[in-house]
Amino acid sequence: MTLRDSKDVKIRNAGIQTRTGRKWSASQSVEQAEGALKPPGHRRSNLLRPARVEDNAFSDGEIRREEEGTRKARAVEMGSQGAWTKWKLPERKLTWTDLWRYEPFRIQFLLRSVYNTLPSPANLHLWGLVEEPKCKLCQERGTMGHILSACKTALTQGRYRWRHDQVLRELADVLEVERKKKRPPRKHKPSFIRFVKAGEKETKATSGNTGILEGAETWEMRVDLGKKLVFPDVVQTTIRPDVVIWSAESRQIIVIELTVPLEERCDQVNERKRAKYTELMEQCRERGWRTWLFPVEVGCRGFPARSAWKTLQAVGLVGKTRKTAVRRLAEASERASCWLWNRREEKDWKPSIDGQ
């Protein structure tokens, strides 16, 4: 479009063509994009006009949308490589900064794990490279999902727990920074009755609070890392959530339970965790405590669920701070899964502190 609509007559009439591959035609895509942006019955004027940046931008965006739609439609038709189209998770975008910062094997693991093209025993058997599709640890069918999340031997050895703790450390660090923020003492203002005239709608006063932690001046936190977590002296229970944040002065308690499952199972895990802690939350409420329960799921391939975004927003993280925190959780999960994948055939496994 830049060459075709150039102000220079020689460039415009030079007949320059943009060569592309056999699977995609630039000229055809431009025509389709311009046709989609123009109203029905509109004809392109034969008069030469100068190129406009906004036209190019609109057409470029339309071409991108069409190509993305075609790519997703093709992916839906694929049973294994297109399974990611069924994920009910927010998109994760990789920037050029991420690509320069990541190690090559991490980029390879991320892309191939999303499209299920990693050399798992099941895939190698399907490709005709091995005779049996068995997991090296438990002798069951070694699919990628089995190795990353369902191997009983790996579970017994503590591999999945180690990955869980890597993500939990990042989450605890984010919450600790937010907990330690200085908050002014709360002043109890007298309440007034708001009268609304007939035919008018009530306007709710906006509160300056940005999260649950603004409801009290001081908070305490315990994390299930290193040693077994002991629930605060609110109720007697043997249940050990991953994070407990509470304020004795305001009688408020926040329970956070982290899970690192396969991306396909995030919704199922969320429902199961909510059911597990329902009775505990009810006991706390019966003793006069205001309670919040947040099951948080971070996919083992590095795709956090919406629950992660909602939980961080609920405690007070917004904007760029929340985005950075979610990225830290995603990278911790993906980095740990990559480390586990590279050692999937090692029967004698020992956790590493730094994941190297």
Side-chain angles (χ1 to χ4, degrees), residues 92-117:
R92 179 184 173 186
K93 297 181 179 180
L94 289 178
T95 63
W96 282 109
T97 303
D98 295 332
L99 294 178
W100 281 109
R101 183 167 51 89
Y102 278 23
E103 298 86 352
F105 67 89
R106 280 188 59 191
I107 299 177
Q108 183 185 40
F109 170 80
L110 176 59
L111 295 178
R112 299 187 70 179
S113 64
V114 170
Y115 297 106
N116 194 14
T117 58

Side-chain angles (χ1 to χ4, degrees), residues 134-265:
K134 292 183 178 181
C135 173
K136 298 295 183 180
L137 299 180
C138 65
Q139 301 303 311
E140 294 186 8
R141 182 174 175 80
T143 63
M144 181 192 66
H146 171 84
I147 295 174
L148 292 180
S149 182
C151 179
K152 296 180 180 179
T153 303
L155 178 64
T156 304
Q157 292 178 348
R159 303 191 185 202
Y160 302 148
R161 180 66 189 185
W162 172 82
R163 178 180 59 192
H164 170 275
D165 290 347
Q166 299 301 309
V167 184
L168 182 57
R169 284 190 176 89
E170 295 292 339
L171 178 60
D173 184 62
V174 170
L175 296 174
E176 181 68 7
V177 173
E178 189 68 20
R179 183 188 71 86
K180 288 184 176 181
K181 288 184 178 179
K182 294 184 179 180
R183 296 176 176 85
R186 292 176 56 83
K187 297 181 181 179
H188 299 282
K189 298 181 180 179
S191 58
F192 299 95
I193 300 176
R194 295 178 179 272
F195 294 94
V196 182
K197 295 182 179 180
E200 296 182 358
K201 294 183 179 180
E202 179 184 3
T203 57
K204 297 183 180 180
T206 57
S207 175
N209 296 347
T210 58
I212 300 174
L213 297 185
E214 295 296 334
E217 185 177 356
T218 58
W219 293 84
E220 297 183 53
M221 185 175 77
R222 291 178 184 173
V223 184
D224 191 20
L225 285 173
K227 58 182 180 180
K228 292 184 178 180
L229 182 144
V230 179
F231 201 78
D233 296 332
V234 180
V235 295
Q236 296 295 327
T237 180
T238 58
I239 298 179
R240 293 165 47 196
D242 289 317
V243 181
V244 181
I245 307 175
W246 75 97
S247 173
E249 59 177 352
S250 62
R251 298 181 70 83
Q252 299 181 82
I253 187 169
I254 305 170
V255 174
I256 300 176
E257 178 67 11
L258 173 68
T259 314
V260 188
L262 282 174
E263 279 74 2
E264 295 87 340
R265 300 180 59 249

